[in-house]
Amino acid sequence: MKDYKETLLLPKTSFPMRGNLPKNEPKRFQKWIEEGIYNRMKEWRKGAPRFNLHDGPPYANGHIHIGHALNKILKDFIVKFYYFQGYKVQFVPGWDCHGLPIERKVEEQIGRTRKEQLPKIEIRKLCRRHAEKFVEIQKEEFKRLGIIADWENPYKTMDYRFEGDIFRALATIAEKGYLIERNKPVYWCLHDKTALAEAEVEYYPKEDYSIYVLFQLTDSSQKSLAKKLSFSQFPSSIGVVIWTTTPWTLPANMGIAINREEEYLITADGKIVAQKLHSRLAKKGIVSEKKIITFSGHFLEGLTASNPLNGRLSKIITGEHVSMEDGTGAVHTAPGHGEEDYFVWLSHFGEGEILQPVDSEGRYTSQIVTKGLLPEQFVGKEIFKAQPEIIKLLGDALLKLEKFTHNYPHCWRCKNPVVFRATKQFFIAMDKKIDGKSLREKALAGLKKVEFIPTSGQKRLKSMIERRPDWCISRQRDWGVPIAFFRDKESGQLLIEREINEHLTQIFWQEGTDVWWSRSIEELLPEKYRHLASRLEKVEDILDVWFDSGSTWFGVLKNGIYDAGDYPASLYLEGSDQHRGWFQSSLLVSTAIEGIPPYRQVLTHGFTVDERGEKMSKSKGNVVSPEEVTKKMGAEILRLWVATSDYRGDIKLGKTILRQMGEHYRKIRNTLRYLLANTNDLKKVELNSPSSIDLWILAEAKKVTEQVRDLFGKYEFGKGMGILNNFIVTELSGIYLEVVKDRLYCEHQNSPKRRNSQSVMALIARTLLTLLAPILTYTADEGVEHASPAVTDGATTIFEMVYKPLPTVKNPIPDSIFQIRKKFFEEVDRLKKEKIIGSTLEIVLETNYYPLLENKELTELFLVSKIVDTPLINKSPLTQFHFDDNRFIVKLFRSPFYKCPRCWQYLAEEEGSLCNRCRQVIGE
């Protein structure tokens, strides 16, 4: 039999079936770098609407992990989505370079003793070198993921210009009046000897003491209470029972807080507790069950009790923070070691002296002797180790001792427990009125104008702003931007002068902030202020690293040296933990300086976990490294994982999921390859008289691609990819590309039927390439290189293309046809399994359903040789089925004709001969 293969127009393409991604992706990215693709993208969109994403800076310490990959890939999707929708996009990557983690890494490398011997300038040089090393490492790792950004001009918070801008932001806030300095309890890391912000504290289980202690009322206070209550039947002595989990703070007790709105009582054994908690305390044996008298809490206000440790007087005050949920209703108050304690003490007694007898390493100072707080042997003792001895000193005043485990604050870096410790620190005031409103009020008002995705983010951030304390921005470390203000030695007042601040900013811009420590005060002052040098001293603290990152909008979007786009930024995007971190610090700095948030939209994502939903850790051996995935499988696989995941919750990843992503990628790649291969000889798109099948797939593709584009525009990539993948697998590959094979392969090359289907495929290919380009950028760009002009419209790279909606057409094929088709293929599958037929082309359909008969193209849709209304042969059908309440029938007969050796349809009149169509095409 003659071989007609050479007469067929089989698919041809140079687009490889296998991507060989680990080898080819780096070459393609290098090509983009050499071509200056980021700058060309801006040129190609000159005058277009603008979109900018302000990059939340990763920390320049260590290699990137899978969370970094998730974050940066998601940012890349969004930036590129807007680009391919026709926007001019601006994305300047950045790094957070100062702070304790880098300083601790340097300390690990050189040793703590050596570090303490080095001058501050030398330590800072080592820190800078460490940060520079990892900026370059991470930059290359991000590039490997296919991230397009302004890599030639990233921002780094340690750059001299940037350090100057950070100080300038601080100086502006100080000049406006938001900066305050006071002695206040702050989180303190005993290991790193520095203050911590709220965002630098994490909670972990810790075993602690739980003790109930009796503070006896003084004789005068007992008499005063008896007089107030008009009651004389008291026991010989009465006292207030307090509960604490920090026995080490008892020496610094200054008061006992009660709730004036609650009822209190005195028990038969002379103990005062809240009425609501009495029965619980009695069951524990802490107080007697018998009550003598009940009275309102306000009667206790102003009385004094004696601290059983040292005999110092403890003042009874009222506070709204006193809860009836646990404890005794009387709160041990040490203003030097608790934030609530401090504020309630401040409300009663103002800014007076408070007790704080603990040094920066967590040891008792000599103040315990000079103030009579503890015996001399406690000087130099670590507070946690001293607790058993303190408990012994309580003697009979200790009513109950227990141990329990609770969530306790720890330093997020070194993971050691932290304490509250009153020290002189700098704060940004949340409630000080500037221009009639506080920073808290302005920030809350600004949040109402920001779109949060998901919407719950707004409520979360609002709640944090509503209840957050003043922001402690000072740190007692080496590696950071100095709080570069001068202080009058005699008065202690800060010298906040705009002219001095601007002068220092200029110096920092040119030489960096190391000069704060290397130059004298006189050298740092403007000429007209140098006569003051002898009266001044420098502030030695550095800024909280959260202030650095919180002011990046100021350094990147406002100063003009970065082509980073507009302020406020279109979008901030980070993990959901940044509600208490970068989103919040950026909001406060921006609101303090400009009065508005620095972002129009805020998008948050969850965190990566393994396939069982467990946290990734080296000890468990379940860590997935981005480098490992890109080396073995390619960045496109990671990108596809991000695109198909619901990133708003925890995102699972492991070997099984990566294998699934590999299969998913191959399906997409093969579909693109098939589209390109079947349009390789098409010069331009011409839709003259598209068939009903062409119109159906165009209508379906239009509906799906518009829906997917809208979902991508809402950053719902997972939903969009799910819909797109279903369309590719089901309608496009599963139906259309299968049914048009005959016209593509067997019709005359320039036949209208073939050219129309090719044009439809070219349009769909073009739309898929530009729709998938933000996600599978490497693959889309590779596809353009191998596509015909009909697909690319003359573009030589994917970045020259823009998404264009498919034309609107009416679908002429009713849904009922596809319902019948589904039932038909169920019957065909059975016939194939029973080996009655080998192919649907062997079948002739007979039906009385008119819509099936009126459209001759439906033979292709059903992949049969004919559809008829009367039998072609007098034989029983192979099978049959009814539909629409048995009104219509479809019968499947074996075709009475012969198989055409060229197109394989059963339409030839003689065995071995061609069908009429094939004879005409090849001219036989």
Side-chain angles (χ1 to χ4, degrees):
M1 187 180 288
K2 185 176 178 181
D3 186 359
Y4 290 96
K5 186 177 180 181
E6 295 302 317
T7 71
L8 298 176
L9 298 168
L10 296 175
K12 290 180 184 177
T13 182
S14 54
F15 185 65
M17 184 180 293
R18 294 185 178 276
N20 199 0
L21 301 175
K23 181 181 177 183
N24 291 330
E25 287 172 345
K27 293 177 184 175
R28 186 164 296 277
F29 197 91
Q30 186 56 36
K31 178 172 172 279
W32 293 341
I33 293 292
E34 289 169 3
E35 292 175 352
I37 207 70
Y38 178 77
N39 288 324
R40 291 180 74 191
M41 286 166 67
K42 290 192 289 185
E43 285 296 315
W44 284 324
R45 297 290 189 267
K46 209 173 245 185
R50 290 148 67 102
F51 175 88
N52 68 322
L53 190 155
H54 179 45
D55 192 25
Y59 204 68
N61 185 28
H63 293 267
I64 68 168
H65 53 66
I66 199 66
H68 288 121
L70 164 69
N71 176 267
K72 219 63 154 198
I73 289 171
L74 197 50
K75 289 173 179 175
D76 193 55
F77 286 173
I78 292 170
V79 170
K80 286 176 183 167
F81 168 77
Y82 277 98
Y83 176 75
F84 287 107
Q85 293 299 313
Y87 285 72
K88 178 181 179 180
V89 296
Q90 288 149 297
F91 182 34
V92 175
W95 275 272
D96 218 344
C97 303
H98 296 121
L100 187 56
I102 289 173
E103 198 174 325
R104 290 184 67 233
K105 278 292 179 185
V106 168
E107 186 179 299
E108 285 174 19
Q109 292 162 11
I110 66 173
R112 192 162 193 164
T113 304
R114 172 74 174 138
K115 180 175 178 285
E116 288 173 354
Q117 292 169 347
L118 285 176
K120 189 183 286 277
I121 293 297
E122 291 304 312
I123 295 168
R124 288 174 64 84
K125 282 179 182 176
L126 292 172
C127 290
R128 183 176 293 277
R129 201 176 302 153
H130 179 91
E132 283 171 347
K133 172 186 171 183
F134 281 102
V135 164
E136 291 308 310
I137 286 172
Q138 291 184 10
K139 185 193 293 185
E140 294 308 310
E141 290 171 336
F142 283 133
K143 286 180 180 180
R144 181 63 190 86
L145 298 174
I147 313 298
I148 301 291
D150 193 356
W151 295 115
E152 298 304 308
N153 190 33
Y155 76 85
K156 292 171 280 185
T157 58
M158 66 180 176
D159 284 346
Y160 292 172
R161 172 78 192 209
F162 216 101
E163 287 185 332
D165 282 332
I166 292 169
F167 172 70
R168 195 182 193 189
L170 172 69
T172 305
I173 288 171
E175 289 160 16
K176 285 177 175 281
Y178 287 109
L179 187 70
I180 58 175
E181 187 183 18
R182 65 165 178 247
N183 217 32
K184 175 182 178 290
V186 293
Y187 286 115
W188 187 271
C189 178
L190 302 173
H191 177 271
D192 293 317
K193 295 184 285 187
T194 188
L196 298 174
E198 245 192 325
E200 296 173 309
V201 171
E202 294 176 341
Y203 285 80
Y204 300 108
K206 180 179 181 289
E207 186 181 65
D208 266 324
Y209 290 100
S210 167
I211 62 172
Y212 295 82
V213 182
L214 182 66
F215 277 55
Q216 296 284 358
L217 290 184
T218 61
D219 289 343
S220 59
S221 287
Q222 188 164 329
K223 289 174 184 175
S224 174
L225 182 61
K227 187 175 180 181
K228 287 180 184 179
L229 298 177
S230 302
F231 188 77
S232 58
Q233 304 301 311
F234 286 151
S236 57
S237 66
I238 57 175
V240 180
V241 181
I242 65 96
W243 171 65
T244 184
T245 60
T246 54
W248 65 267
T249 64
L250 283 173
N253 173 276
M254 296 182 74
I256 299 170
I258 53 95
N259 192 322
R260 65 177 290 116
E261 305 301 325
E262 295 290 340
E263 292 291 303
Y264 287 77
L265 57 82
I266 301 173
T267 61
D269 54 355
K271 297 180 178 75
I272 300 173
V273 295
Q275 183 180 18
K276 287 178 181 175
L277 296 165
H278 172 247
S279 61
R280 192 187 304 173
L281 295 167
K283 283 178 185 175
K284 286 188 172 188
I286 295 168
V287 300
S288 167
E289 290 185 10
K290 187 177 178 183
K291 308 177 221 175
I292 292 178
I293 187 172
T294 301
F295 53 90
S296 173
H298 75 270
F299 285 108
L300 293 169
E301 187 174 5
L303 303 181
T304 55
S306 174
N307 185 336
L309 269 182
N310 49 36
R312 287 176 62 94
L313 293 182
S314 185
K315 299 176 182 178
I316 299 179
I317 58 178
T318 58
E320 294 178 0
H321 69 293
V322 180
S323 163
M324 297 295 123
E325 291 181 9
D326 49 29
T328 65
V331 177
H332 150 58
T333 301
H337 295 295
E339 189 169 50
E340 285 183 329
D341 296 20
Y342 171 79
F343 279 115
V344 73
W345 189 263
L346 191 70
S347 68
H348 284 275
F349 303 108
E351 293 267 7
E353 182 188 10
I354 58 176
L355 297 175
Q356 197 291 97
V358 179
D359 70 12
S360 62
E361 293 182 326
R363 301 174 187 276
Y364 285 118
T365 67
S366 58
Q367 190 185 56
I368 63 168
V369 177
T370 57
K371 296 289 185 182
L373 309 182
L374 281 173
E376 189 173 356
Q377 66 262 31
F378 281 88
V379 174
K381 278 200 173 182
E382 292 181 19
I383 54 174
F384 292 126
K385 289 182 179 177
Q387 289 191 125
E389 295 177 58
I390 289 172
I391 290 168
K392 278 184 186 177
L393 286 177
L394 290 171
D396 292 340
L398 178 66
L399 304 178
K400 183 83 174 176
L401 168 66
E402 297 171 324
K403 280 196 171 184
F404 77 120
T405 300
H406 64 145
N407 280 334
Y408 187 86
H410 288 67
C411 174
W412 74 330
R413 294 298 181 189
C414 68
K415 308 302 180 188
N416 287 299
V418 301
V419 297
F420 264 110
R421 180 172 173 266
T423 58
K424 202 159 193 179
Q425 301 289 343
F426 288 95
F427 298 85
I428 292 179
M430 292 298 297
D431 297 306
K432 184 178 180 182
K433 302 282 186 182
I434 307 286
D435 300 326
K437 286 189 177 179
S438 68
L439 180 56
R440 192 187 310 276
E441 290 169 330
K442 292 176 183 176
L444 290 171
L447 280 183
K448 294 176 183 176
K449 299 171 184 176
V450 178
E451 180 186 359
F452 282 80
I453 306 161
T455 54
S456 58
Q458 185 174 51
K459 186 177 180 182
R460 187 175 177 190
L461 186 50
K462 175 176 176 283
S463 172
M464 289 176 173
I465 295 295
E466 283 175 336
R467 67 176 193 268
R468 72 155 295 135
D470 292 339
W471 179 8
C472 177
I473 60 165
S474 48
R475 297 291 180 270
Q476 293 66 48
R477 301 298 297 183
D478 297 318
W479 179 228
V481 174
I483 298 177
F485 297 123
F486 299 104
R487 188 195 308 279
D488 186 286
K489 290 178 185 176
E490 287 187 17
S491 68
Q493 292 296 308
L494 291 178
L495 187 63
I496 307 289
E497 292 288 341
R498 181 167 295 181
E499 190 176 343
I500 295 175
N501 296 336
E502 285 298 321
H503 180 73
L504 284 171
T505 299
Q506 294 288 336
I507 294 173
F508 294 159
W509 279 350
Q510 297 299 318
E511 302 176 56
T513 55
D514 285 0
V515 297
W516 183 248
W517 291 277
S518 64
R519 286 197 191 180
S520 67
I521 293 174
E522 188 174 1
E523 290 172 313
L524 291 168
L525 285 167
E527 183 70 38
K528 66 182 277 190
Y529 289 94
R530 285 182 182 170
H531 67 283
L532 299 174
S534 61
R535 291 171 42 193
L536 302 175
E537 61 185 7
K538 297 175 188 174
V539 171
E540 293 292 327
D541 294 345
I542 62 168
L543 277 168
D544 172 16
V545 73
W546 286 109
F547 189 94
D548 283 25
S549 58
S551 58
T552 54
W553 62 269
F554 186 82
V556 176
L557 304 178
K558 294 284 286 184
N559 78 3
I561 69 167
Y562 300 96
D563 185 12
D566 301 326
Y567 167 85
S570 306
L571 178 68
Y572 271 38
L573 188 169
E574 296 301 326
S576 55
D577 59 333
Q578 295 305 316
H579 288 108
R580 72 187 189 113
W582 191 54
F583 298 147
Q584 190 171 155
S585 63
S586 299
L587 173 67
L588 295 179
V589 175
S590 179
T591 304
I593 295 174
E594 299 288 344
I596 58 172
Y599 35 66
R600 300 183 190 279
Q601 288 184 317
V602 169
L603 175 65
T604 54
H605 60 77
F607 304 99
T608 52
V609 293
D610 72 8
E611 289 173 316
R612 293 179 295 178
E614 294 181 4
K615 187 177 179 180
M616 291 186 185
S617 69
K618 289 180 181 177
S619 61
K620 290 180 182 176
N622 61 353
V623 172
V624 177
S625 157
E627 183 183 21
E628 184 183 337
V629 178
T630 54
K631 279 183 178 177
K632 288 183 178 178
M633 305 181 78
E636 295 286 66
I637 306 305
L638 266 185
R639 295 176 69 89
L640 194 56
W641 161 68
V642 175
T644 54
S645 300
D646 181 2
Y647 60 80
R648 296 178 192 189
D650 286 343
I651 308 151
K652 293 181 179 179
L653 183 60
K655 289 180 181 178
T656 303
I657 291 171
L658 285 169
R659 276 197 301 272
Q660 291 168 353
M661 290 302 108
E663 287 300 317
H664 190 170
Y665 174 77
R666 278 187 283 278
K667 286 178 184 175
I668 293 171
R669 184 178 182 91
N670 287 339
T671 301
L672 285 173
R673 184 173 185 271
Y674 191 80
L675 291 168
L676 299 183
N678 279 287
T679 53
N680 70 309
D681 64 336
L682 187 68
K683 302 297 182 216
K684 62 178 179 178
V685 170
E686 288 184 304
L687 282 178
N688 296 323
S689 53
S691 69
S692 57
I693 293 172
D694 292 332
L695 292 171
W696 164 74
I697 196 63
L698 258 185
E700 287 294 309
K702 167 80 172 178
K703 179 177 68 177
V704 167
T705 53
E706 291 295 282
Q707 188 179 3
V708 171
R709 185 192 66 168
D710 290 346
L711 286 167
F712 284 3
K714 296 173 185 173
Y715 314 138
E716 295 188 21
F717 296 102
K719 285 183 183 176
M721 284 301 293
I723 291 167
L724 188 60
N725 186 56
N726 186 62
F727 166 74
I728 288 172
V729 171
T730 307
E731 285 86 2
L732 185 58
S733 298
I735 300 177
Y736 181 73
L737 297 182
E738 194 65 34
V739 302
V740 296
K741 279 181 180 178
D742 180 79
R743 64 180 68 174
L744 293 170
Y745 301 175
C746 301
E747 290 287 339
H748 189 278
Q749 183 173 20
N750 292 315
S751 76
K753 191 174 184 181
R754 181 173 184 271
R755 288 305 191 197
N756 273 287
S757 289
Q758 282 186 300
S759 294
V760 166
M761 291 171 77
L763 286 171
I764 291 173
R766 184 190 301 169
T767 302
L768 285 180
L769 283 170
T770 51
L771 198 56
L772 286 169
I775 293 161
L776 300 177
T777 318
Y778 286 121
T779 304
D781 194 44
E782 183 188 2
V784 170
E785 289 181 355
H786 297 274
S788 70
V791 174
T792 63
D793 208 16
T796 58
T797 171
I798 190 65
F799 298 104
E800 287 184 76
M801 298 176 70
V802 68
Y803 173 88
K804 293 177 183 175
L806 288 165
T808 303
V809 296
K810 186 177 180 182
N811 172 19
I813 303 177
D815 287 343
S816 60
I817 296 296
F818 289 96
Q819 291 166 13
I820 297 167
R821 188 181 188 274
K822 183 181 177 185
K823 178 64 178 171
F824 165 75
F825 274 97
E826 288 172 3
E827 294 296 322
V828 164
D829 286 345
R830 183 177 60 79
L831 292 174
K832 285 183 177 180
K833 283 177 185 175
E834 294 172 3
K835 301 197 183 305
I836 295 171
I837 63 167
S839 164
T840 54
L841 292 173
E842 297 173 37
I843 291 173
V844 170
L845 280 187
E846 181 193 320
T847 183
N848 60 346
Y849 187 56
Y850 181 71
L852 260 179
L853 295 165
E854 69 172 341
N855 188 343
K856 298 301 180 186
E857 292 176 22
L858 296 185
T859 57
E860 291 176 274
L861 185 62
F862 280 76
L863 296 172
V864 296
S865 293
K866 273 186 181 292
I867 298 177
V868 297
D869 60 352
T870 55
L872 294 179
I873 52 173
N874 189 20
K875 285 186 178 181
S876 299
L878 300 173
T879 186
Q880 64 184 40
F881 60 90
H882 293 82
F883 60 95
D884 197 7
D885 295 328
N886 292 328
R887 288 198 304 143
F888 302 106
I889 189 169
V890 172
K891 296 178 181 180
L892 283 66
F893 290 92
R894 193 183 298 279
S895 174
F897 301 101
Y898 297 95
K899 181 179 179 180
C900 172
R902 182 171 180 270
C903 70
W904 296 4
Q905 293 194 55
Y906 282 72
L907 293 173
E909 294 178 1
E910 295 177 12
E911 189 168 354
S913 67
L914 296 175
C915 66
N916 290 334
R917 188 272 310 269
C918 287
R919 266 203 309 272
Q920 291 173 9
V921 170
I922 66 171
E924 283 192 4

